[in-house]
Amino acid sequence: MHLTNADLHCHSNVSDGTLTPEALAERARTNGVELWALTDHDELAGQRRARDAALALGMDYLTGTEISVSFAGQTVHIVGLGFDDEDEALHAGLAATRGGRLQRAHDMAAGLAQVGIAGAFEGALKYVGNPELISRTHFARFLVDSGVCPDTHSVFRRYLTEGHPGYVPHHWAKLGDAVRWITQAGGVAVIAHPGRYRFTPTEEYALFTEFIAHGGQGVEVMTGSHSAAEHIRYADTAIEFGLAASRGSDFHAPGESRTELGSLPDLPGRLQPVWDLLAPRVHRAPD
Ligand code: AMP
Ligand code: MN
Ligand code: MN
Ligand code: MN
C-alpha cells in the first residue's frame, strides 16, 4: 500500500521561517512531498502563495496555520488544517492573537538590555519578513549572528525561556477559541508537538479532554519535535483519545531545523491519518 508523503507543519518568512512560501513549495516537492500545508504562526498571509505554488508543482495542498494558545500556564500550539482561508472570524481571531507581539518584542529587548545586550529589538527586526509576526525566533537569529550564542537552541535556553532575561510572559488565545475558529471555518484542529510541553499527567489529560470537548479532532504524532519514544507514546495517546494523527516536520530554515521537509517516518499503520478526515478540503493538483 502506498502511504501518502504528507508534511502538514512548516513555516515561511511570513512567520518565523526563512524561506518564501514559493521556495518552501519547491523544497517540499523536491523532497517527495505529495500533500503539503504551510502553517505559519497566527497568520494566513502566505496561504494563497503556498497553494498556488504547490498546485503549479503538481502537489496537493491543505490550508494551514499554527495558533498560539495559553493553557495551564504554558504556551500550547494548535495547528489548523483544511479551513476556508477567507473565513472572517478566523481572520479576526488570528489578528487578535498576533496583536500583542510588537509590545512583547519591545519588552523582551528591554530585558536583554538589562543584561548588557543592546539594540536587540532593532536587531531582531532585521530578520523579520512580516512586521506583525516578530517572534522569539527572530531574536534568536540576531543573537546567533551577533556572536552572543553559538546556535538558536542555546539562545532559547539562556535567554528566551521562562526564568531568563529575554522572556516575557504573554497571554495568547484561549484553547476553545482557537479550536472553534478552525472548526467553524470548516477545518480540523490538531494539537501540535505534544511532547514539547512540560505538563503534569493531570494537566496533559486536561489538555486532551478539553481540546476534544471544544471539537478538536487531531494530534501530531510524527513531528520533528518528537523523539522515537515520543512517536510511540503519542501514537498510543491518539488511540486512547480517538484522535486522528498528523505528520509534519515543523521545518523553519535550512541548517537550523533538525528535520527536513517531507523526511519524517510514516505514521504507524494503526492510526487514522488526519488527512483522511480532510479529503474534501484538499486542493488537488491537476493530473
Ligand atoms: P514565539 O511564538 O515568538 O513565542 O516563538 C516560538 C517559536 O520559537 C517556536 O515556534 C519555535 O520556532 C521557536 N522555538 C521555541 N523553542 C525553541 C528552542 N528551544 N530552540 C529553537 N527554537 C525554539
Ligand atoms: Mn516557529
Ligand atoms: Mn509550534
Ligand atoms: Mn511550528
Side-chain angles (χ1 to χ4, degrees):
M1 190 184 79
H2 173 74
L3 292 168
T4 305
N5 185 347
D7 194 322
L8 304 181
H9 188 153
C10 68
H11 301 272
S12 76
N13 64 353
V14 170
S15 66
D16 63 346
T18 60
L19 302 181
T20 61
E22 292 82 3
L24 276 174
E26 284 200 25
R27 196 176 183 100
R29 188 74 182 116
T30 300
N31 292 347
V33 173
E34 296 161 291
L35 175 63
W36 180 52
L38 171 66
T39 55
D40 279 313
H41 296 283
D42 308 323
E43 176 64 277
L44 303 180
Q47 288 305 305
R48 287 304 164 101
R49 290 169 60 191
R51 186 184 85 187
D52 290 350
L55 298 184
L57 291 163
M59 190 165 55
D60 291 347
Y61 189 75
L62 279 168
T63 53
T65 187
E66 182 177 20
I67 307 182
S68 313
V69 160
S70 296
F71 184 85
Q74 293 188 48
T75 300
V76 165
H77 286 166
I78 301 296
V79 163
L81 297 170
F83 48 79
D84 168 10
D85 65 0
E86 291 183 0
D87 185 86
E88 284 183 22
L90 175 60
H91 272 270
L94 294 180
T97 306
R98 290 195 294 275
R101 281 185 177 269
L102 203 56
Q103 183 58 48
R104 169 183 181 244
H106 281 293
D107 295 345
M108 286 170 61
L112 292 169
Q114 285 193 347
V115 294
I117 300 170
F121 179 81
E122 295 73 17
L125 204 55
K126 292 204 179 80
Y127 292 78
V128 168
N130 171 2
E132 286 191 44
L133 230 297
I134 183 163
S135 100
R136 286 186 292 163
T137 314
H138 302 110
F139 281 82
R141 293 194 183 120
F142 166 66
L143 292 179
V144 171
D145 290 346
S146 51
V148 176
C149 287
D151 53 57
T152 54
H153 214 73
S154 52
V155 183
F156 275 88
R157 205 172 50 242
R158 284 166 58 188
Y159 293 105
L160 300 183
T161 44
E162 198 166 352
H164 298 102
Y167 180 77
V168 175
H170 195 74
H171 286 291
W172 300 108
K174 291 192 177 76
L175 178 65
D177 288 341
V179 173
R180 274 185 296 278
W181 297 333
I182 296 163
T183 53
Q184 291 181 1
V188 165
V190 176
I191 297 177
H193 43 61
R196 284 233 319 238
Y197 312 128
R198 293 289 161 259
F199 289 130
T200 64
T202 308
E203 289 168 337
E204 187 179 76
Y205 183 83
L207 171 65
F208 277 82
T209 50
E210 290 184 34
F211 170 76
I212 290 166
H214 290 303
Q217 293 179 278
V219 59
E220 274 184 356
V221 172
M222 307 311 288
T223 143
S225 296
H226 282 175
S227 63
E230 286 167 334
H231 289 151
I232 296 166
R233 169 158 180 224
Y234 288 102
D236 291 343
T237 305
I239 302 266
E240 180 189 342
F241 286 96
L243 290 168
S246 194
R247 176 180 188 265
S249 57
D250 208 356
F251 181 83
H252 282 71
E256 188 178 290
S257 293
R258 67 176 173 176
T259 304
E260 183 52 69
L261 272 167
S263 74
L264 285 163
D266 287 324
L267 282 180
R270 62 194 171 112
L271 302 181
Q272 180 184 35
V274 73
W275 50 94
D276 280 3
L277 305 180
L278 286 162
R281 312 289 308 179
V282 174
H283 297 276
R284 306 266 173 207
D287 287 329

